[in-house]
Amino acid sequence: MASLLHTVSRSPLASRNSLHTRAYIPNFSRSRVPVPNAVRCSVEGPLKYANGKPCVPLFRSEDMISNFSATKTHLVNEIGKNDTRLRIFSGTANPALSQEIACYMGLELGRIKIKRFADGEIYVQLQESVRGCDVYLVQPTCPPANENLMELLVMIDACRRASAKNITAVIPYFGYARADRKTQGRESIAAKLVANLITEAGADRVLACDLHSGQSMGYFDIAVDHVYGQPVILDYLASKTICSDDLVVVSPDVGGVARARAFAKKLSDAPLAIVDKRRHGHNVAEVMNLIGDVKGKVAVMVDDMIDTAGTITKGAALLHQEGAREVYACSTHAVFSPPAIERLSSGLFQEVIITNTIPVSEQNYFPQLTVLSVANLLGETIWRVHDDCSGGYEPYSTLGID
């Protein structure tokens, strides 16, 4: 019995400038349709498929001719399914981002039923088969963190019990990442606890974006692909008419110096400044002084997340006092706990640039806010993980996958 040969043409990657746009062209040529153990045949009528035109098998054995109609119907149903063995499911935390990722990949989101009982318990049921499939569950653990985390765990368990081959938890924002070490006695390390929960639930791999600290990857006993939102923000800043000689990248605290230095290197190797602050309690920060020169310059403050915006707004006020001409705030994760919106919209910032790893409700929009999409970034990473490819060349050299 001859083998079926199906050649798939790959489309070139989307340009880096498309990373921060909201409109994406589905890459249908990336979909694969394998037909195992099949032979060629001729078909009376034309075939129409959403994922391209596959080769349809021909049964040459005389004893199979009687069953041709039933076999052809079965093949049409199987081939017509969206994608080969890759399934993407979305939780309720950020369905818009999940849809954009699926759109970039030329796929449809998997059908899943998620509901909550009267007592708050979470119920998850997959509405399609995932047996033998590579399943990707898109669910950030953003506020309400505990609800979204538990939903992710139940989704993983449902896929494991449905005999999925591989389960990857795509976590654009990893909650509890700030509890990554003990700073005082008798404290918990919640980041390790959450990593254990995800592993024990049945996940085989985690795809995270801009973890608060790199050592959080070591808390997982499974593979972790860590991608960065820097390319999205850098492309947007490159599109603005800002003279490179006027730029200075500012770290809002000492802990973010490495992140700011890497950002400055890619932004025309801009100079670096550091805000020295002393924190007296959780979500409370006090700025002390500034290390570096910002007088007459455009300051770009870089951080991984904005929670209550206390650190970044006090830093911006200090930059204005030191003579900065304009201040931009750049962050991957917009947690925006109260009173973040009031602080960010107070006029200290020329622009607040964030990504959509966490959904921002319309009532939290303000004129200076710009939301960029990481859908292409995550979608391309999913393709490369699924295809066992590396992320080590341009334009995605900062994907962080090996």
Coordinates of all heavy atoms in Angstrom, one line a residue, residues 16-21 229-242 263 267 300 328-330 350-355 367-373:
R16 N 8.1 42.1 11.9 CA 8.2 42.5 13.3 C 7.3 43.7 13.5 O 6.8 43.9 14.6 CB 9.6 42.8 13.6 CG 10.5 41.6 13.6 CD 11.9 42.0 14.2 NE 11.8 42.4 15.6 CZ 12.8 42.9 16.2 NH1 13.9 43.1 15.7 NH2 12.6 43.2 17.5
N17 N 7.1 44.5 12.5 CA 6.2 45.7 12.7 C 4.8 45.3 12.9 O 4.0 46.0 13.4 CB 6.3 46.6 11.5 CG 7.6 47.3 11.4 OD1 8.2 47.5 12.4 ND2 8.0 47.7 10.2
S18 N 4.4 44.0 12.6 CA 3.0 43.6 12.8 C 2.8 43.1 14.2 O 1.6 42.8 14.5 CB 2.7 42.4 11.8 OG 3.4 41.3 12.1
L19 N 3.8 43.1 15.0 CA 3.6 42.5 16.3 C 2.8 43.4 17.2 O 2.1 42.9 18.1 CB 5.0 42.4 17.0 CG 5.9 41.2 16.5 CD1 7.2 41.3 17.1 CD2 5.2 39.9 16.8
H20 N 2.7 44.7 16.9 CA 1.9 45.6 17.8 C 0.6 46.0 17.1 O 0.0 47.0 17.6 CB 2.8 46.8 18.2 CG 3.3 47.6 17.0 ND1 2.6 48.4 16.3 CD2 4.6 47.6 16.5 CE1 3.4 48.9 15.3 NE2 4.6 48.4 15.5
T21 N 0.2 45.4 16.1 CA -1.0 45.7 15.5 C -2.1 44.7 16.0 O -1.8 43.6 16.4 CB -1.0 45.7 13.9 OG1 -0.6 44.3 13.6 CG2 0.1 46.7 13.4
G229 N 8.4 40.2 26.2 CA 7.5 41.1 25.4 C 8.3 42.3 24.9 O 7.7 43.2 24.3
Q230 N 9.6 42.3 25.1 CA 10.5 43.4 24.6 C 10.3 43.7 23.1 O 10.2 44.9 22.7 CB 11.9 43.2 25.0 CG 12.3 43.5 26.4 CD 13.8 43.4 26.6 OE1 14.5 43.2 25.7 NE2 14.2 43.6 27.9
P231 N 10.4 42.7 22.2 CA 10.3 43.0 20.8 C 9.0 43.8 20.4 O 9.1 44.7 19.5 CB 10.3 41.6 20.1 CG 10.9 40.7 21.1 CD 10.5 41.2 22.5
V232 N 7.9 43.5 21.1 CA 6.7 44.2 20.7 C 6.8 45.7 21.1 O 6.4 46.6 20.3 CB 5.5 43.6 21.5 CG1 4.2 44.3 21.2 CG2 5.4 42.1 21.2
I233 N 7.3 46.0 22.3 CA 7.4 47.4 22.7 C 8.5 48.1 22.0 O 8.4 49.3 21.6 CB 7.7 47.4 24.3 CG1 6.5 46.7 25.0 CG2 7.9 48.8 24.7 CD1 6.7 46.6 26.5
L234 N 9.6 47.4 21.7 CA 10.7 48.0 21.0 C 10.3 48.4 19.6 O 10.6 49.5 19.1 CB 11.9 47.1 20.9 CG 12.7 46.9 22.2 CD1 13.7 45.8 22.1 CD2 13.5 48.2 22.5
D235 N 9.5 47.6 18.9 CA 9.1 47.9 17.6 C 8.2 49.1 17.6 O 8.2 50.0 16.7 CB 8.3 46.7 17.0 CG 9.2 45.6 16.5 OD1 10.4 45.9 16.4 OD2 8.8 44.5 16.3
Y236 N 7.3 49.2 18.6 CA 6.5 50.4 18.7 C 7.3 51.7 18.9 O 7.0 52.7 18.3 CB 5.4 50.2 19.8 CG 4.5 51.4 20.0 CD1 3.5 51.6 19.1 CD2 4.7 52.2 21.1 CE1 2.7 52.7 19.3 CE2 3.9 53.3 21.3 CZ 2.9 53.6 20.4 OH 2.0 54.6 20.6
L237 N 8.2 51.6 19.8 CA 9.0 52.8 20.1 C 9.9 53.2 18.9 O 10.1 54.4 18.6 CB 10.0 52.5 21.3 CG 9.3 52.5 22.7 CD1 10.3 52.1 23.7 CD2 8.6 53.8 23.0
A238 N 10.3 52.2 18.1 CA 11.1 52.5 16.9 C 10.3 53.2 15.9 O 10.8 53.9 15.0 CB 11.6 51.2 16.3
S239 N 8.9 53.0 15.9 CA 8.1 53.7 15.0 C 7.8 55.2 15.3 O 7.3 55.9 14.5 CB 6.7 53.0 14.9 OG 6.0 53.1 16.1
K240 N 8.2 55.6 16.5 CA 8.0 56.9 17.0 C 9.2 57.8 16.6 O 10.3 57.3 16.5 CB 7.7 57.0 18.5 CG 6.6 56.1 18.9 CD 6.3 56.3 20.4 CE 5.7 57.6 20.8 NZ 4.3 57.7 20.2
T241 N 8.9 59.0 16.3 CA 10.0 59.9 15.9 C 10.7 60.5 17.1 O 10.5 61.7 17.5 CB 9.4 61.1 15.0 OG1 8.4 61.7 15.8 CG2 8.8 60.5 13.8
I242 N 11.5 59.7 17.8 CA 12.3 60.1 18.9 C 13.8 60.0 18.5 O 14.2 58.9 18.1 CB 12.0 59.3 20.2 CG1 10.5 59.4 20.5 CG2 12.8 59.8 21.3 CD1 10.1 58.5 21.7
F263 N 17.1 46.3 27.6 CA 16.2 47.1 26.8 C 16.9 48.2 26.1 O 16.8 48.6 24.9 CB 15.1 47.6 27.7 CG 13.9 48.2 26.9 CD1 12.8 47.4 26.6 CD2 13.9 49.6 26.6 CE1 11.7 48.0 25.9 CE2 12.8 50.1 26.0 CZ 11.7 49.3 25.6
L267 N 17.7 49.4 22.2 CA 17.1 50.7 21.8 C 18.3 51.7 21.5 O 18.5 52.7 22.2 CB 16.3 51.3 22.9 CG 15.3 52.4 22.6 CD1 14.2 51.9 21.5 CD2 14.5 52.9 23.8
V300 N 12.6 56.7 29.2 CA 11.7 55.5 29.0 C 11.9 54.6 30.2 O 12.9 54.0 30.3 CB 12.1 54.8 27.7 CG1 11.2 53.6 27.5 CG2 12.0 55.8 26.5
Y328 N 8.1 58.2 29.3 CA 7.3 57.1 28.8 C 7.4 55.9 29.8 O 8.4 55.6 30.4 CB 7.8 56.6 27.5 CG 7.5 57.6 26.3 CD1 8.3 58.7 26.1 CD2 6.4 57.4 25.5 CE1 8.1 59.6 25.1 CE2 6.2 58.2 24.4 CZ 7.0 59.3 24.2 OH 6.7 60.2 23.2
A329 N 6.3 55.3 30.0 CA 6.2 54.1 30.9 C 6.0 52.9 30.0 O 5.0 52.8 29.3 CB 5.1 54.2 32.0
C330 N 6.8 51.9 30.1 CA 6.7 50.6 29.3 C 6.6 49.4 30.2 O 7.5 49.3 31.1 CB 7.9 50.5 28.3 SG 8.0 51.9 27.2
Q350 N 4.0 60.9 29.2 CA 3.6 61.2 27.9 C 2.8 60.1 27.3 O 1.8 60.3 26.5 CB 4.9 61.5 27.0 CG 4.6 61.8 25.6 CD 4.1 63.2 25.4 OE1 4.2 64.0 26.3 NE2 3.6 63.5 24.2
E351 N 3.2 58.9 27.6 CA 2.4 57.7 27.1 C 2.7 56.5 28.1 O 3.9 56.4 28.6 CB 2.9 57.4 25.7 CG 2.0 56.4 25.0 CD 2.4 56.2 23.5 OE1 3.3 57.0 23.1 OE2 1.8 55.4 22.8
V352 N 1.7 55.7 28.3 CA 1.9 54.4 29.1 C 1.7 53.3 28.1 O 0.6 53.1 27.6 CB 0.9 54.4 30.2 CG1 1.0 53.1 31.0 CG2 1.1 55.6 31.2
I353 N 2.7 52.5 27.8 CA 2.7 51.5 26.8 C 2.7 50.1 27.5 O 3.6 49.8 28.3 CB 3.9 51.6 25.9 CG1 4.0 53.0 25.3 CG2 3.9 50.5 24.8 CD1 5.3 53.3 24.6
I354 N 1.7 49.3 27.3 CA 1.5 48.0 27.9 C 1.2 47.0 26.8 O 1.0 47.3 25.6 CB 0.4 48.0 29.0 CG1 -0.9 48.3 28.3 CG2 0.8 48.9 30.1 CD1 -2.1 48.2 29.3
T355 N 1.1 45.7 27.2 CA 0.7 44.7 26.3 C -0.6 44.0 26.8 O -1.0 44.3 27.9 CB 1.8 43.6 26.1 OG1 1.9 42.8 27.3 CG2 3.1 44.2 25.7
P367 N -6.4 58.5 28.1 CA -5.8 59.0 26.8 C -4.4 58.6 26.6 O -4.0 58.3 25.5 CB -6.0 60.5 26.9 CG -7.1 60.7 27.9 CD -7.0 59.6 28.9
Q368 N -3.6 58.5 27.6 CA -2.2 58.2 27.5 C -1.9 56.7 27.3 O -0.7 56.3 27.1 CB -1.4 58.7 28.7 CG -1.4 60.2 28.8 CD -2.6 60.6 29.7 OE1 -3.4 59.8 30.1 NE2 -2.7 62.0 29.9
L369 N -2.9 55.8 27.4 CA -2.7 54.4 27.4 C -2.6 53.8 26.0 O -3.4 54.2 25.1 CB -3.8 53.7 28.1 CG -3.7 52.2 28.3 CD1 -2.5 51.8 29.1 CD2 -5.0 51.6 28.8
T370 N -1.6 53.0 25.7 CA -1.4 52.3 24.5 C -1.3 50.8 24.8 O -0.4 50.4 25.5 CB -0.2 52.8 23.7 OG1 -0.4 54.2 23.4 CG2 0.0 52.0 22.4
V371 N -2.1 50.0 24.2 CA -2.1 48.5 24.4 C -1.6 47.8 23.1 O -2.2 48.0 22.1 CB -3.5 48.0 24.8 CG1 -3.4 46.5 25.1 CG2 -4.0 48.7 26.0
L372 N -0.5 47.1 23.2 CA 0.1 46.3 22.1 C -0.3 44.9 22.3 O -0.5 44.4 23.5 CB 1.6 46.5 22.1 CG 2.1 48.0 22.1 CD1 3.6 48.0 22.1 CD2 1.5 48.7 20.9
S373 N -0.3 44.1 21.2 CA -0.6 42.7 21.3 C 0.6 41.8 21.2 O 1.5 42.0 20.4 CB -1.6 42.4 20.2 OG -1.9 41.0 20.2

